[in-house]
Amino acid sequence: MGDRHAGIFDCFQTVFLGAGLGGVLRHGVNIATAKLLGSGFLYGTLTVNIVGSLIMGLLIEWFALSLTRVRNGDFFDDRVARRSHDLFRILP
């Protein structure tokens, strides 16, 4: 395959590995909470959803602050700045 398709496969591999790791962690949390708190309520799902929401919120805030620094020109690392800018290039 040409170089044009290499980036697509890297993305697929990243998603594949992330989904696999996430699935294993979710299953582990479900088993642990079922043993600790019982299986009458889905505490594992509740825990994973709350922690996941917190992590996603923190990441979005970090990206937003990074984008602000890129636009203001006071970002500490040009490589990270370019990546952050590429993530948000759809914004005006």
Side-chain angles (χ1 to χ4, degrees):
M1 298 243 167
D3 291 334
R4 191 178 97 201
H5 298 292
I8 293 172
F9 290 116
D10 289 341
C11 290
F12 283 136
Q13 289 174 348
T14 302
V15 170
F16 177 77
L17 292 174
L21 180 61
V24 168
L25 291 173
R26 179 179 282 270
H27 183 65
V29 169
N30 283 332
I31 289 174
T33 55
K35 285 182 180 178
L36 290 172
L37 303 171
S39 59
F41 183 74
L42 299 174
Y43 292 109
T45 301
L46 180 66
T47 302
V48 167
N49 288 344
I50 290 172
V51 170
S53 297
L54 176 68
I55 290 171
M56 285 189 295
L58 291 172
L59 282 172
I60 291 297
E61 180 68 19
W62 183 78
F63 285 135
L65 291 174
S66 297
L67 179 62
T68 303
R69 290 186 192 126
V70 168
R71 286 185 177 166
N72 291 338
D74 59 352
F75 204 80
F76 61 92
D77 188 356
D78 289 337
R79 290 172 296 158
V80 176
R82 282 192 296 273
R83 286 188 199 132
S84 298
H85 183 67
D86 288 344
L87 287 172
F88 292 102
R89 68 180 149 198
I90 60 171
L91 297 176

